């Protein structure tokens, strides 16, 4: 064969490889394509932009033709995306499709409860279904990649992004992260309605010092592996298509140039072959962190650490070519990054699917019904002295407060695609369910930060004229989420004063709190007959709440994060160590803010109780559940075996209810001090009035493993406590030995 003939054969072979019907695996197609790409085209694939406006600018079209961009985020209308994709596929030299990413975090057009709220349902199946709906809606509008699930553990409600996470516990969050990944990605990435998920922010972002967003995280490796990494590992095991690096430094090294995280753990230990994207501008922020001199330095560090794609900033575009020429960045690193990106594009079927006709979606009956179920399941009843569910004798209700009829606010932090016109607020829902004649309304305050008492008189008057006052307070959506850290956790503005004023009427009062984080509201809870905590419940929060308060649904949510009594207790979480001087039960009862003489030299405060306001896992129902008869299948767990723990859960009330039964363990003696409790299982159990059910969990040695002082995952023989419990502070306890 002469040379030109060989060239023709090679070209034909390549053309065949790139065709959809070619019987080649993804890896071969990726390699064939990389072999044909120029360095400019490779760097283009590694660059992601937000810059797409309607109508598409000629300059942008030209850039797409030239392969300047591999991906766009949060950009364009469905029509823009379709047109840009057409240009990329049919007018660029190699026809490499664009990847459109977007923050589809807790819903798309239909907005589900914020992730922290979804976590309160303790229901992986629900979380999966919500992500599935969100993916379906987003996919229809040309989105193929979402930046969720946020897999960061956070134990500090000052941090605004606690709203976007799945709570304080790595076990619970891990189960929910995996469910969310399954929901977004479906059975196969290339199926209709599937979008790539992204485990973010790798890693340590939730440990921001002082709860201040973007702040430094100092996490010893044992804690990193016990608490902060497991949800990411769960995402990886669920097949998550991408990871996003965090903004913060971890132990002084920016996550975006952190070889320990990205090379040793993610690529090395976890054998991850998906795409790694930086966070927004995080590559250039390495200059502010003080670890890169300039953009060139930042690009070199990020790419050499294994960050495949740069979000928004343009250090890769501006410097990689020169860095490759000088040998500071090996071409092999670039090729590796491009392979990760192309692999995902192939897995998503982007090369093989025709550009879909642009389409705008609206929330449908199915997604709205699911959103209502999610909102109902995520509401946590924190107090009820008998006022709920509202009795038939309550003919007229006064709906009061700045969150009673605030469609945007109830959607929560990430709702840029949410459709306020579809939102049903509590006010609207009560009017629908009871009829307008039975519903009085007074907003009381313009918004949650309003400090004016001007609207109080009208609100008090409404309460006086009604049989019960239903007060809706909390946080506007703009008070939680990214860059929304708070130093105070109480109800903002004059909301407490509003509650005081309604309380003074003597009318039965139910306080419903809609917020993006755990708040502190001790006095409000003391004054209220009942408190329902709904986080930001999303599009269908109104009907869900109204039906709960009216007893047409029963509350079943449980806290996925500890609620402090006061911000001064933060960080406060259930899986803490015992310390050498644990506080005593006899030291409880310290009135908030009122110092006592410290009698015992124990680990407590002298001006507030050491216990939280509400423990992790806590939530009431319209009935009462009793726990008894904890049994173990054997007193000893032999190394390779299993042990079954069971208990009887009885519904002692007169109404049906759903209990979330929780399994906790404690390793009593280990070479590294272990938490006083660790969650190791949970199950939602629906029980009819009077029904008793035996609930069982199985434990093996792997469930008892921990990281020792040499950061080795080990099990050590010895005694363990085990609880089957309604929350992290109660339950029935047993004991066994691991041999
Ligand atoms: C910054 C946020 O930290 C990240 O979570 C988000 O996905 C990106 N911006 C894109 O909007």
């Amino acid at each position: 064969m002469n040379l030109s003939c060989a060239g023709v054969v090679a070209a034909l072979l390549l053309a065949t490889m790139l065709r959809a019907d070619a019987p080649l695996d993804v890896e071969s197609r990726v390699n064939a394509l990389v072999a044909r790409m120029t360095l400019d085209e490779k760097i283009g694939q590694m660059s992601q932009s937000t810059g797409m406006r309607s109508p598409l600018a000629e300059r942008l079209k030209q850039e797409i033709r030239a392969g300047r961009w591999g991906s766009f985020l949060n950009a364009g209308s469905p029509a823009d995306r379709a047109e840009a994709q057409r240009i990329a596929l049919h007018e660029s030299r190699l026809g490499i499709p664009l990847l459109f990413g977007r923050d589809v975090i807790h819903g798309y057009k239909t907005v589900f409860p914020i992730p922290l709220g979804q976590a309160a349902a303790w229901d992986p199946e629900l979380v999966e279904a919500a992500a599935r709906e969100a993916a379906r809606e987003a996919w229809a509008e040309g989105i193929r990649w979402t930046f969720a699930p946020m897999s960061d553990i956070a134990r500090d409600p000052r941090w605004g992004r606690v709203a976007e996470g799945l709570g304080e516990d790595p076990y619970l969050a891990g189960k929910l992260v995996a469910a969310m990944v399954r929901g977004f990605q479906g059975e196969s990435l290339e199926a209709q309605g599937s979008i790539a998920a992204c485990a973010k922010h790798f890693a340590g972002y939730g440990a921001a010092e002082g709860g201040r967003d973007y702040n430094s995280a100092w996490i010893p490796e044992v804690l990193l592996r016990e608490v902060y990494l497991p949800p990411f590992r769960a995402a990886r095991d669920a097949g998550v298509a991408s990871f996003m690096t965090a903004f913060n430094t971890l132990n002084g090294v920016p996550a975006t140039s952190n070889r320990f995280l990205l090379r040793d753990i993610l690529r090395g230990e976890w054998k991850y072959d998906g795409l790694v994207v930086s966070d927004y501008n995080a590559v250039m922020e390495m200059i502010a962190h003080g670890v890169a001199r300039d953009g060139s330095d930042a690009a070199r560090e990020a790419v050499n650490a294994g960050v495949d794609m740069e979000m928004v900033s343009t250090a890769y575009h501006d410097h990689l070519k020169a860095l490759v020429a000088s040998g500071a960045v090996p071409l092999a690193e670039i090729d590796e990054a491009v392979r990760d990106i192309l692999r995902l594009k192939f897995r998503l079927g982007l090369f093989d699917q025709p550009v879909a006709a642009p389409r705008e979606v609206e929330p449908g009956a199915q997604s709205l019904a699911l959103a209502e179920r999610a909102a109902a399941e995520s509401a946590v009843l924190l107090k009820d002295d008998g006022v709920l569910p509202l009795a038939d004798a309550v003919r007229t209700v006064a709906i009061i407060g700045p969150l009673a009829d605030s469609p945007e606010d109830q959607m929560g932090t990430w709702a840029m695609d949410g459709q306020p016109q579809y939102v049903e607020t509590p006010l609207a829902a009560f009017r629908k369910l009871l009829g307008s004649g039975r519903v009085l309304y007074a907003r009381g305050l313009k918004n949650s930060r309003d400090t004016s008492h001007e609207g109080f008189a009208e609100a008090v008057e409404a309460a006086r004229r009604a049989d019960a006052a239903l007060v809706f307070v909390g946080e506007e959506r703009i008070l939680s989420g990214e860059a929304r850290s708070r130093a105070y956790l109480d109800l903002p503005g004059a909301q407490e004063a509003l509650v005081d004023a309604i309380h003074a009427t003597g009318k039965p009062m139910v306080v419903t709190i809609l917020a993006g984080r755990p708040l502190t509201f001790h006095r409000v809870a003391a004054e209220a007959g009942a408190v329902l905590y709904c986080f930001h419940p999303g599009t269908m929060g109104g009907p869900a709440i109204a039906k709960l308060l009216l007893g047409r649904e029963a509350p079943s949510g449980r806290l996925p994060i500890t609620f402090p009594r006061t911000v001064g207790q933060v960080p406060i979480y259930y899986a803490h160590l015992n310390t050498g001087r644990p506080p005593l039960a006899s030291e409880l009862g310290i009135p908030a803010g009122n110092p006592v003489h410290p009698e015992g030299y124990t680990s407590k405060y002298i001006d507030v109780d050491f216990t939280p306001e509400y423990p992790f896992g806590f939530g009431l129902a319209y009935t009462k559940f009793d726990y008894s008869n904890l049994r173990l299948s054997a007193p000893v767990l032999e190394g390779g075996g299993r042990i079954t723990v069971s208990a009887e859960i009885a519904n002692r009330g007169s109404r049906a209810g759903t209990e979330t039964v929780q399994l906790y363990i404690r390793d009593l003696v280990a070479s590294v001090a272990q938490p006083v409790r660790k969650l190791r299982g949970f199950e939602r159990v629906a029980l009819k009035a009077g029904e008793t059910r035996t609930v069982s969990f199985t434990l093996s040695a792997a469930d008892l493993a921990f990281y020792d002082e040499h950061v080795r995952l080990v099990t050590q023989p010895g005694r363990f406590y085990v609880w089957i419990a309604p929350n992290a502070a109660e339950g029935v306890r047993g004991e066994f030995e691991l041999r």
Side-chain angles (χ1 to χ4, degrees):
M1 203 184 322
N2 65 32
L3 259 185
S4 68
C5 185
V8 171
V9 170
L12 278 174
L13 189 66
L14 273 175
T16 318
M17 283 169 148
L18 294 172
R19 271 216 337 263
D21 55 0
L24 281 171
D25 59 85
V26 164
E27 221 46 43
S28 310
R29 295 178 77 184
V30 166
N31 288 332
L33 189 48
V34 171
R36 296 178 65 201
M37 293 171 76
T38 64
L39 183 54
D40 282 326
E41 284 165 338
K42 291 175 183 174
I43 296 169
Q45 285 303 306
M46 296 166 72
S47 304
Q48 187 187 47
S49 166
T50 48
M52 185 180 283
R53 309 277 166 270
S54 299
L56 291 190
E58 272 316 311
R59 181 158 164 225
L60 184 67
K61 289 185 185 174
Q62 199 39 46
E63 287 178 353
I64 294 170
R65 268 180 214 115
R68 165 75 182 85
W69 303 108
S71 173
F72 288 87
L73 83 146
N74 297 345
S77 66
D80 299 331
R81 289 191 282 267
E83 172 62 358
Q85 193 65 301
R86 191 195 59 73
I87 295 172
L89 278 171
H90 301 297
E91 296 178 13
S92 72
R93 190 177 78 89
L94 293 171
I96 303 177
L98 296 164
L99 178 51
F100 290 103
R102 200 168 180 86
D103 288 291
V104 181
I105 309 290
H106 51 104
Y108 187 64
K109 293 294 174 80
T110 309
V111 179
F112 295 97
I114 56 170
L116 189 61
Q118 290 186 40
W122 293 58
D123 188 346
E125 184 266 314
L126 174 78
V127 167
E128 181 174 340
R132 193 85 211 112
E133 273 311 317
R136 215 180 42 74
E137 289 185 354
W139 185 93
E141 294 203 346
I143 309 298
R144 290 290 184 276
W145 184 18
T146 177
F147 305 118
M150 189 181 102
S151 310
D152 298 301
I153 293 296
R155 295 172 160 184
D156 190 334
R158 293 173 298 181
W159 191 50
R161 294 196 86 168
V162 81
E164 197 182 340
L166 296 158
E168 75 179 44
D169 184 67
Y171 180 89
L172 175 62
K175 295 283 180 215
L176 302 179
V177 158
M180 219 181 255
V181 170
R182 288 196 301 272
F184 284 129
Q185 299 193 169
E187 302 239 304
S188 118
L189 278 176
E190 59 191 338
Q192 287 204 3
S194 288
I195 63 177
C198 181
K200 70 182 188 186
H201 309 81
F202 197 62
Y205 188 41
E209 253 182 15
R212 281 169 67 187
D213 208 357
Y214 317 118
N215 223 287
S216 323
W218 295 96
I219 311 176
E221 193 176 341
V222 164
L223 190 64
L224 185 72
R225 289 183 183 272
E226 288 281 357
V227 172
Y228 291 92
L229 293 185
F232 288 98
R233 178 67 212 220
R236 186 251 172 272
D237 289 345
V240 74
S242 67
F243 268 68
M244 185 190 293
T245 65
F247 283 124
N248 53 282
T249 52
L250 174 67
N251 302 330
V253 181
T256 303
S257 62
N258 199 309
R259 288 164 186 251
F260 169 64
L261 284 174
L262 300 173
R263 294 261 181 231
D264 299 353
I265 295 183
L266 185 62
R267 303 290 191 191
E269 286 176 36
W270 297 1
K271 312 260 175 294
Y272 182 69
D273 72 352
L275 189 161
V276 174
V277 64
S278 78
D279 202 345
Y280 203 105
N281 209 36
V283 173
M284 282 303 275
E285 287 171 19
M286 284 196 278
I287 301 172
H289 278 303
V291 304
R293 271 185 305 276
D294 51 24
S296 168
D297 230 12
R300 180 181 53 77
E301 290 189 24
V303 88
N304 284 343
V307 178
D308 302 323
M309 187 182 277
E310 180 182 17
M311 186 187 281
V312 178
S313 54
T314 59
Y316 282 13
H317 171 78
D318 300 342
H319 304 289
L320 276 186
K321 218 170 165 183
L323 286 165
V324 170
S326 73
V329 170
L331 188 59
E333 297 291 358
I334 304 282
D335 286 350
E336 199 53 53
V338 174
R339 268 198 287 275
D340 290 340
I341 295 162
L342 295 179
R343 193 179 294 122
L344 178 56
K345 292 186 175 183
F346 277 110
R347 284 177 181 167
L348 282 163
L350 296 178
F351 284 88
D352 307 328
Q353 291 161 1
V355 180
R359 187 154 82 80
E360 309 248 349
V361 276
E362 300 283 306
Q366 174 186 325
S367 58
L368 291 172
L370 185 67
E372 184 178 326
R373 183 186 142 208
E377 276 194 28
S378 62
V380 186
L381 183 63
L382 294 177
K383 174 181 178 182
D384 181 18
D385 65 10
V387 91
L388 287 179
L390 295 172
D392 290 343
V394 174
R395 297 303 302 161
T396 306
V397 294
I399 306 275
I400 293 165
L403 273 301
D405 191 35
S406 193
E408 298 275 356
D409 290 323
Q410 84 179 47
M411 287 198 287
T413 174
W414 274 118
M416 61 181 158
D417 296 289
Q419 306 285 291
Q421 70 274 24
Y422 282 90
V423 171
E424 285 194 38
T425 64
L427 175 65
F430 270 101
R431 283 183 173 150
K432 209 165 170 181
L433 292 170
L434 295 183
S436 296
R438 291 176 59 192
V439 177
L440 308 173
Y441 173 57
R443 200 171 175 96
L445 292 162
K446 286 194 195 70
N447 57 46
S448 70
R449 286 161 300 148
D450 187 1
T451 52
S452 159
H453 290 210
E454 264 170 33
F456 281 24
E458 190 197 357
V460 165
E461 181 54 25
R464 285 214 177 97
R465 286 172 43 215
D467 302 314
L470 311 180
V471 186
F472 294 82
V473 289
E475 289 180 318
E476 290 145 83
R477 73 192 264 188
I478 53 160
L479 298 187
S480 67
E482 187 178 346
R484 305 293 191 263
S485 295
R486 291 185 60 198
Y488 298 92
L489 292 178
D490 41 9
L491 288 162
Q495 295 184 100
E496 276 208 22
L498 176 64
V499 172
D500 291 344
I502 304 304
H503 174 60
T505 65
K507 285 292 164 83
M509 176 172 71
V510 177
V511 174
T512 300
I513 300 180
L514 292 84
R517 54 162 62 77
L519 294 174
T520 54
F521 47 92
H522 187 85
R523 193 174 78 232
V524 165
E527 291 175 353
V531 178
L532 188 69
Y533 210 89
C534 295
F535 300 95
H536 284 135
T539 307
M540 296 301 280
I545 293 169
K547 288 178 191 171
L548 287 169
L549 299 187
L550 291 167
R552 301 183 191 183
E553 297 284 344
S556 63
R558 301 288 179 265
L559 297 179
I561 185 166
T562 304
F563 274 42
R565 292 171 189 274
T566 165
V567 69
Q569 289 182 312
V570 171
I572 184 168
Y573 50 92
Y574 85 90
H576 59 81
L577 303 186
N578 198 37
T579 81
R581 294 189 173 197
L584 309 168
S586 60
E587 292 173 309
L588 286 172
I590 300 173
N594 195 3
V596 295
H597 175 69
E599 305 217 340
Y601 282 74
T602 59
S603 180
K604 62 171 185 294
Y605 299 99
I606 58 166
D607 50 5
V608 70
D609 276 353
F610 59 85
T611 52
E613 187 78 50
Y614 304 104
F616 176 82
F618 179 79
L620 301 170
Y622 288 159
T623 183
K624 168 103 188 60
F625 300 107
D626 264 6
Y627 284 63
S628 64
N629 272 334
L630 185 120
R631 290 214 174 88
L632 287 152
S633 56
V636 174
L637 169 57
E638 301 287 350
R642 301 178 146 293
I643 197 167
T644 302
V645 195
S646 62
E648 280 172 22
I649 321 297
N651 180 346
R652 296 268 181 246
S654 55
R655 303 176 69 102
T658 298
E659 171 70 329
T660 296
V661 182
Q662 301 159 35
L663 176 77
Y664 295 92
I665 57 153
R666 173 168 177 185
D667 188 341
L668 293 176
V669 180
S671 63
V672 170
Q674 291 299 299
V676 295
R677 282 196 191 201
K678 272 191 196 176
L679 185 70
R680 278 294 171 269
F682 61 88
E683 190 181 334
R684 283 172 63 91
V685 183
L687 292 172
K688 296 196 224 40
E691 188 182 349
T692 299
R693 180 106 45 94
T694 301
V695 176
S696 307
F697 298 93
T698 307
L699 287 167
S700 70
D703 299 309
L704 312 177
F706 65 90
Y707 285 92
D708 73 3
E709 60 277 33
H710 307 293
V711 204
R712 292 175 311 209
L713 188 65
V714 296
T715 48
Q716 291 174 353
R719 283 166 56 228
F720 284 79
Y721 281 158
V722 58
W723 291 261
I724 293 189
N727 59 62
E730 295 177 276
V732 283
R733 193 182 82 188
E735 196 178 325
F736 67 91
E737 193 187 330
L738 172 69
R739 240 185 235 150

